Structures are given as structure tokens and as C-alpha cells.
DNA sequence: CAATGCAATGTTATGTTGTAACTTGTCCTC
DNA sequence: GAGGACAAGTTACAACATAACATTGCATTG
């Protein structure tokens, strides 16, 4: 269970929370951004920028270049609407965009599913260790590659 | 300081330790593998497969394809002679190939330097959290992006 | 209402990272 | 010297990411 309380959103509610958050940052919630967010949230596993480009292209019946997707994903990550999964070169929608903290991702090497867990004790420990080594403006990347319970039902 | 004791190697001693380790695994220590290891160990920061291909090409005065480098790097990572830094798409030589454990990398966004720290309490905690979530055969990826003390001397 | 400025997006090109498939070379064994 | 096993070479391409510049649409203002 999470170490702290926060609201997890899904579907319509998630999009609303994302829109709220982005506009509150002084950024616009455009049709294109909504389309990208919907596509991203529609995936059940981390999606690459090209996956998203394909999904948006299909939804809009026109070609959307990966380029534009990257721009919007960068914006989303900066605004905490999405997270980048470094070990998968892929992105996931953030189900609690109002809650600013470090996430831990567990990624299944078999099925590609990613589980998101929160543990401030662990992430705080990693931050502290980096600080102790003289690092500032730290951004922890904590992920675990492995096999999920569904893929290895022992 | 490291939580456990182990020998850190460098230069000739490091290459020896790597050769020892690899051959003990039943793999061959070929000229090509030595060249790749030397090139990798010669970098003062994480090097991409293409960086290494270039270095080896220069050292051997012939073109070596990145392809071959990837094969050898995969072997090295599997044998604990090298580590992949996921958030940098790059590799570093492992200075203690005989010591099997999870490493934490701190990578400076400014200068690219990577510092390697060990903290079994933290990495163990991450492993435990993954296990609790039903994941098996786990391989933690714990890295911190930030600014190193040299680049931000406050 | 033109003219201007600005942010978002489109377009094209190219750079970087990573794999796949097949071939060649080398060494060992029979 | 034929055959097998493994390392490495070669070529081609897939996947991921960014750079540079053009276009669009909308708001401001003279
Ligand atoms: Zn949370
Ligand atoms: Zn799975
Ligand atoms: Zn160690
Ligand atoms: Zn630095």
C-alpha cells in the first residue's frame, strides 16, 4: 500500500485532473494535448512515443508525426501528467497528477505490464544517498525489471 | 561508504579481474573482448556502444561495427563485467566484477559523470517491495539523475 | 480591419540506439 | 581434411529521439 494518501484517478476523472493540473500551470489544454493524453491513458502498459503517434493518428484519421508527440510528452512529464519509464523508453499516464513524489515502477519483461508503487521511505533513502554524494536537483529513477505474478504464477 | 566489503580494481588489475571472472564462467577472453573491455574501462563516464565502437576502431585501426560491440557488452553485463546505465543508454565497466550485488548510479546531467554507490539496505528494500508485489527474477534499476558537486559547487 | 506577435502544431530531415539474419573465420576433434 | 562449435564480420533495418524551419490560428493593438 502507498505510504501516503492520495487520490487515484481513472477515465474521465483522470482526464479532468490532468486538464486541471496543466491549466493551473499556465499551459493550455488543447485538442491535440487531450488526444495525446487520452491515447496514453488508453494503453494498459507503457507506450512509446511512436505507439502514441500511431494511436492518435488512428483516432484522428490523419498522420501525426512522432515529433509532435514528443513535444507534448515532454510537457506532460514536466507538469507531472505523465512519467517516463527509462528502462523501457516509454511513457505512462500519471494517475495522481496532483501528487508530487517519486514513483517506483515494476516492469514485467514477459508481458510489458508496469505496476506503479509508492514508497517514500525507499525513494527518500535514495535521494538522501545522492545528496550525501554531493548531488543536487536530484531526480531518482527507480524501476525494477522482472516477471510479474501473472506471467510466473508460482 | 559501501555497506559491505569488496575489492575495487583499476587499470591492469581490473582487466585481470575481468578476465578471471569471464573465463571462470566458461567464456573465452578473446582479443576482441579485451579490446572492448579496455575501451570501456578507459572512458571516465558511461559510454554508448557506438562510443566504444569508435574507440576500438581507432585503437585497432580498422572499422569495428557497433553490432559486435553490443554482443560483447551483453556478454559482459551477463557476466557482471559491465553494467548498463538505463537512463543514459550507456555502459560502465564494473570495478568489482567478483562482487554480485545491485548498484546505484548517480549521473550528472551537466557533465555526464556517473558515480557508483552501494547500499544494500536500499536496494534490498526495493527488491522486497517488488517481491511483495508478486514480481520474481527481479533486477532493480536504481539511478539518480542530477547535478554533481563539481558542476554545482554550492 | 490590417499588421504584428506568439504559442502550438506540422513537416522534413537526420541523428542515435538497438536487432536480425546471414556469412566468414578459427579452432578443435574425429 | 570434413564437420561442428563458437566468435566475429557484414549488411540491412527497426526503434527511439531531436533539430530546423514552415504553417496555422488566435489575441493584441494601431
Ligand atoms: Zn502518490
Ligand atoms: Zn507479466
Ligand atoms: Zn560492491
Ligand atoms: Zn557534473
Amino acid at each position: 500500500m502507498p505510504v501516503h494518501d492520495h487520490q487515484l484517478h481513472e477515465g474521465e476523472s483522470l482526464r479532468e485532473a490532468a486538464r486541471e493540473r496543466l491549466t493551473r500551470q499556465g499551459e493550455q489544454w488543447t485538442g491535440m494535448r487531450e488526444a495525446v493524453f487520452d491515447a496514453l491513458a488508453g494503453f494498459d502498459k507503457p507506450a512509446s512515443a511512436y505507439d502514441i503517434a500511431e494511436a492518435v493518428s488512428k483516432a484522428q484519421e490523419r498522420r501525426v508525426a512522432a515529433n509532435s508527440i514528443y513535444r507534448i510528452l515532454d510537457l506532460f512529464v514536466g507538469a507531472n501528467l505523465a512519467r517516463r519509464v527509462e528502462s523501457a523508453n516509454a511513457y505512462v499516464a500519471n494517475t495522481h497528477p496532483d501528487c508530487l513524489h517519486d514513483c517506483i515502477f515494476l516492469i514485467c519483461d514477459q508481458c510489458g505490464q508496469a505496476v506503479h508503487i509508492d514508497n517514500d521511505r525507499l525513494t527518500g533513502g535514495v535521494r538522501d544517498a545522492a545528496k550525501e554524494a554531493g548531488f543536487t536537483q536530484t531526480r531518482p529513477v527507480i524501476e525494477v525489471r522482472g516477471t510479474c505474478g501473472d506471467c510466473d504464477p508460482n
Side-chain angles (χ1 to χ4, degrees), chain A:
Chain A
M1 83 232 83
V3 166
H4 65 286
D5 269 4
H6 57 249
Q7 184 65 37
L8 285 187
H9 298 276
E10 61 178 355
E12 185 67 33
S13 159
L14 175 55
R15 173 171 36 185
E16 260 321 287
R19 191 183 60 67
E20 261 295 302
R21 168 89 189 172
L22 194 61
T23 52
R24 203 180 301 278
Q25 307 257 120
E27 298 284 355
Q28 302 178 40
W29 183 259
T30 68
M32 184 62 178
R33 289 172 185 186
E34 178 165 298
V36 170
F37 189 83
D38 285 350
L40 178 58
F43 283 93
D44 66 338
K45 60 185 70 168
S48 76
Y50 281 79
D51 291 339
I52 296 166
E54 194 176 340
V56 174
S57 295
K58 186 162 298 180
Q60 312 232 341
E61 293 183 305
R62 71 193 175 97
R63 181 180 173 278
V64 175
N67 197 336
S68 300
I69 307 295
Y70 274 109
R71 269 195 294 241
I72 294 175
L73 285 174
D74 286 349
L75 180 77
F76 283 0
V77 169
N80 203 39
L81 268 56
R83 297 275 185 165
R84 178 175 164 83
V85 182
E86 295 289 348
S87 72
N89 296 332
Y91 300 80
V92 293
N94 185 352
T95 51
H96 45 77
D98 294 317
C99 173
L100 200 57
H101 66 125
D102 302 318
C103 295
I104 301 175
F105 290 106
L106 316 177
I107 304 104
C108 178
D109 289 327
Q110 313 305 312
C111 67
Q113 282 285 351
V115 175
H116 154 220
I117 64 179
D118 295 325
N119 187 323
D120 294 345
R121 189 179 57 78
L122 283 177
T123 59
V126 172
R127 273 191 187 274
D128 290 347
K131 188 174 184 181
E132 193 152 334
F135 274 65
T136 54
Q137 304 169 71
T138 52
R139 183 174 63 83
V141 174
I142 308 183
E143 306 174 1
V144 182
R145 308 297 312 215
T147 305
C148 76
D150 292 343
C151 291
D152 179 13
N154 286 340

